[in-house]
Amino acid sequence: MREVAIVGAGMTRFGELWNQSLRQMFVEAAAGALNDAGADRVDSMYVGCMSGGQFTGQEHLGPLMADQFGMTGVASVHVESACASGGVALRQAFIEVAAGVSDLVLAVGIEKMTDGADVTNVLATAADQELEVYYGVTFPGLYAMIARAHMHTYGTTEEDLAWVSVKNHRHGAKNDKAQFPTEFTVEQVLSSSMVAEPLRLLHCSPVSDGAAAVLLCPLDQAKQYTDRPVKIVGSGLATGSLALADRDDPAFLDSVQKSGERAFKMAGVGPRDIQVAEVHDCFSIAEVCCIEALGFVERGKGGPAAKDGFTAIGGCIPVNTSGGLKAKGHPVGATGVAQAIEIFRQLRGEAGARQVENARLGLAQNMGGSGASSVVHIFQGV
Amino acid sequence: MPSPRYTREIPSRYRLEAGRCKGCGKVTYPARTICPSCRGEEIEKINLSPRGKVVTSTVIHVPPDDFLMEAPYAMAVVETPEGARLMTQVVDCEPSTVLPGLEVSLEFRLIRKEGKSGILCYGHKAVPVA
Ligand SMILES: CC(C)(COP(=O)(O)OP(=O)(O)OC[C@H]1O[C@@H](n2cnc3c(N)ncnc32)[C@H](O)[C@@H]1OP(=O)(O)O)[C@@H](O)C(=O)NCCC(=O)NCCS
Ligand SMILES: [Zn+2]
């Protein structure tokens, strides 16, 4: 396997981008990544998108985006794993470069959620249609059940969960790409409108548009493009049952644990070696479950981590320095690539007001559905 | 919902038909071809007891369009005595009282209507045991 590096990154702002179409967002992010690296071609592209079909009626995104990008002819394919589509696109690009099949591969995540589709119904297609959605459950509802199980089993409180949102909005307030760069207090979170008990509006990631792109090449060619490449040293993908009812412990995310273990093994490091992480906080409880499953805290002990400052910038392991999905926004297919970009910036010392001092090893974890798929990457500055 | 799909799902939805693995005893609802625990393929059909206990729950305040008129409503993962778990609405009670540990019975009810002219979709809902 060849060593692989990220040499360029580009992304749109996240938010309600009413004036930008799916294809325009793609081109903005992809061109940003190529310009960043000073590259003028790609050999292959992976387009991570949860559902261009349902959100905008557009499928067949591989060739469409290659054409829009002025690259008709290159290999280009759409990959899907619900909200983990972006992370999976990155993994496919990594594998293709590592295998020696292509030298310059672009991984792009995109989603256009505000074009009028019934977002709740579209998102629910990532859950089990026959066993869950049929009966009226929503995505926030599934995570609410995970939250209640966590509270019931481990004593996690609504205030613990609120602190995850407070912390991530504090981080996101320093991110000019974020959809909601606003700080909130615990009281504001706990008095926001109820979505699915015990989760309220300010426990939820928003509905967003956006695109994010990274350019990968073999490490030994990276200096052609940048002085500061970032190596991808580990990649792990794992699955879990689609239906929450099929999991022994609904408060634990097995797929996240497995994907993390695989990435750590490939990288030859452990959770204690990581200095900055982006994890999939689509709902506040998800961050709690993810830091447990990744081994940053013990199982059942994730609740107070945000409140205690453990996961804040300046804490032991800063989590979601970008603002996370909560504050930065969650254009579902774009998220996994945007997480990688945050770690890329952190490891290059380019994160500005949210820079983590001396960050050398970073991790990004991106999840699909209520945890039915999870993909983890580990990055190292060089 | 296309009617072939609806028809296919009738045995589990109407009669609570599940499968038990002859190899390891794992019960899945609905029955599967391959056991998710041991990959065994000898699966016997069983009928679940129409009762169980709430494993975890929520109250949905922002519903999908089809359930707009019902919100807020409680939903739960319910475990039957056979060890099968299923997602259900919990009705005929104050939604906020549906918490882990609650004993429920499973009753055959209308689940959803497909617009004005679509099919009526049935299945089970949970009701707290008095
Ligand atoms: C939580 C949710 C249901 C709220 O949707 P909604 O009830 O339609 O809320 P609205 O869009 O009417 O927003 C109400 C207000 O809150 C703001 N807002 C919406 N979501 C917000 C969020 N997550 N954080 C902060 N503010 C938010 C809006 O800007 C709006 O402000 P305004 O009144 O000043 O314009 C919706 O954002 C949602 O479904 N989120 C989850 C998305 C999801 O499941 N993603 C996949 C996860 S894997
Ligand atoms: Zn078995």
Side-chain angles (χ1 to χ4, degrees):
Chain A
M1 232 171 70
R2 301 196 288 185
E3 287 195 288
V4 179
I6 299 181
V7 292
M11 68 183 280
T12 65
R13 191 171 70 75
F14 280 5
E16 269 184 22
L17 310 181
W18 281 3
N19 290 321
Q20 273 185 292
S21 65
L22 193 65
R23 59 189 76 186
Q24 287 168 328
M25 294 190 305
F26 179 95
V27 171
E28 182 183 333
L34 258 66
N35 290 340
D36 191 26
D40 58 6
R41 64 166 181 88
V42 299
D43 299 326
S44 169
M45 312 197 311
Y46 288 92
V47 184
C49 183
M50 172 175 162
S51 194
Q54 294 185 85
F55 283 123
T56 69
Q58 183 68 60
E59 296 281 16
H60 215 180
L61 300 182
L64 172 68
M65 297 311 174
D67 184 25
Q68 290 292 318
F69 197 36
M71 301 255 182
T72 307
V74 301
S76 177
V77 67
H78 166 215
V79 294
E80 184 273 326
S81 192
C83 311
S85 299
V88 170
L90 174 61
R91 179 176 154 86
Q92 293 308 119
F94 165 74
I95 291 170
E96 186 164 330
V97 175
V101 173
S102 300
D103 284 340
L104 263 184
V105 182
L106 193 62
V108 189
I110 45 172
E111 208 76 59
K112 180 82 203 168
M113 298 172 75
T114 66
D115 259 2
D118 179 347
V119 174
T120 300
N121 269 332
V122 176
L123 289 172
T125 59
D128 192 314
Q129 285 294 317
E130 294 183 8
L131 303 180
E132 299 183 314
V133 181
Y134 178 80
Y135 297 96
V137 82
T138 59
F139 243 92
L142 290 168
Y143 276 96
M145 289 193 207
I146 294 176
R148 190 162 271 172
H150 206 280
M151 293 164 80
H152 185 70
T153 314
Y154 301 115
T156 300
T157 65
E158 284 182 48
E159 197 192 328
D160 289 339
L161 297 179
W163 269 100
V164 175
S165 303
V166 170
K167 169 191 67 94
N168 289 350
H169 274 284
R170 276 185 193 163
H171 293 173
K174 301 184 174 79
N175 185 351
D176 62 1
K177 302 281 191 197
Q179 179 167 3
F180 291 110
T182 329
E183 296 200 22
F184 289 103
T185 62
V186 171
E187 293 70 34
Q188 282 172 306
V189 177
L190 291 176
S191 59
S192 59
S193 63
M194 197 56 95
V195 175
E197 293 177 31
L199 301 180
R200 298 169 180 274
L201 177 75
L202 292 177
H203 289 122
C204 304
S205 59
V207 171
S208 322
D209 303 327
V214 289
L215 185 65
L216 278 63
C217 77
L219 183 64
D220 61 14
Q221 297 174 23
K223 292 285 169 185
Q224 295 173 32
Y225 304 105
T226 176
D227 295 337
R228 283 173 298 165
V230 167
K231 262 201 291 184
I232 300 179
V233 290
S235 175
L237 172 66
T239 52
S241 72
L242 216 65
L244 195 58
D246 288 332
R247 302 188 198 154
D248 290 337
D249 181 359
F252 191 78
L253 298 172
D254 287 303
S255 67
V256 179
Q257 182 179 44
K258 288 199 185 96
S259 59
E261 283 170 356
R262 287 170 192 167
F264 284 128
K265 185 167 176 227
M266 186 186 290
V269 301
R272 296 231 146 64
D273 301 315
I274 303 295
Q275 288 120 9
V276 56
E278 291 281 297
V279 309
H280 197 98
D281 61 321
C282 50
F283 299 92
S284 51
I285 181 63
E287 178 171 313
V288 171
C289 293
C290 289
I291 60 173
E292 290 180 10
L294 291 167
F296 294 139
V297 294
E298 270 175 59
R299 185 167 181 159
K301 301 266 172 69
K307 186 179 177 186
D308 294 348
F310 186 80
T311 48
I313 294 174
C316 263
I317 164 86
V319 171
N320 287 327
T321 54
S322 68
L325 286 51
K326 177 69 211 70
K328 184 177 58 198
H330 184 27
V332 284
T335 284
V337 179
Q339 292 176 318
I341 293 178
E342 176 69 8
I343 301 298
F344 178 71
R345 299 271 171 244
Q346 287 284 355
L347 298 180
R348 291 179 14 140
E350 296 171 347
R354 48 183 209 281
Q355 182 65 45
V356 174
E357 294 301 317
N358 300 318
R360 295 260 307 126
L361 266 184
L363 176 150
Q365 179 266 339
N366 182 205
M367 173 157 80
S370 60
S373 58
S374 173
V375 56
V376 171
H377 285 95
I378 297 172
F379 307 88
Q380 187 177 14
V382 282
Chain B
M1 182 175 311
S3 43
R5 174 168 162 194
Y6 185 73
T7 310
R8 269 196 319 266
E9 290 161 13
I10 280 180
S12 62
R13 288 203 182 129
Y14 283 29
R15 299 192 287 277
L16 292 178
E17 277 183 20
R20 183 190 281 126
C21 173
K22 286 189 174 167
C24 74
K26 169 90 181 170
V27 175
T28 52
Y29 171 82
R32 298 192 190 187
T33 313
I34 297 179
C35 170
S37 286
C38 73
R39 304 209 72 252
E41 292 182 30
E42 272 195 82
I43 310 281
E44 61 177 335
K45 288 252 156 64
I46 61 167
N47 286 307
L48 300 178
S49 315
R51 61 195 156 84
K53 216 180 222 185
V54 169
V55 177
T56 185
S57 62
T58 183
V59 181
I60 308 266
H61 289 257
V62 180
D65 280 356
D66 283 359
F67 290 81
L68 214 53
M69 301 305 288
E70 293 170 49
Y73 54 91
M75 298 222 56
V77 173
V78 170
E79 183 169 304
T80 72
E82 295 78 16
R85 288 184 178 181
L86 39 122
M87 179 71 73
T88 61
Q89 262 194 50
V90 188
V91 295
D92 297 351
C93 64
E94 172 56 43
S96 61
T97 61
V98 178
L99 293 169
L102 182 75
E103 304 268 358
V104 295
S105 63
L106 296 168
E107 296 188 1
F108 190 68
R109 297 279 177 99
L110 179 68
I111 303 293
R112 57 200 298 162
K113 287 182 198 159
E114 308 231 292
K116 283 199 164 61
S117 51
I119 46 181
L120 302 178
C121 302
Y122 292 88
H124 281 75
K125 287 184 179 177
V127 177
V129 177

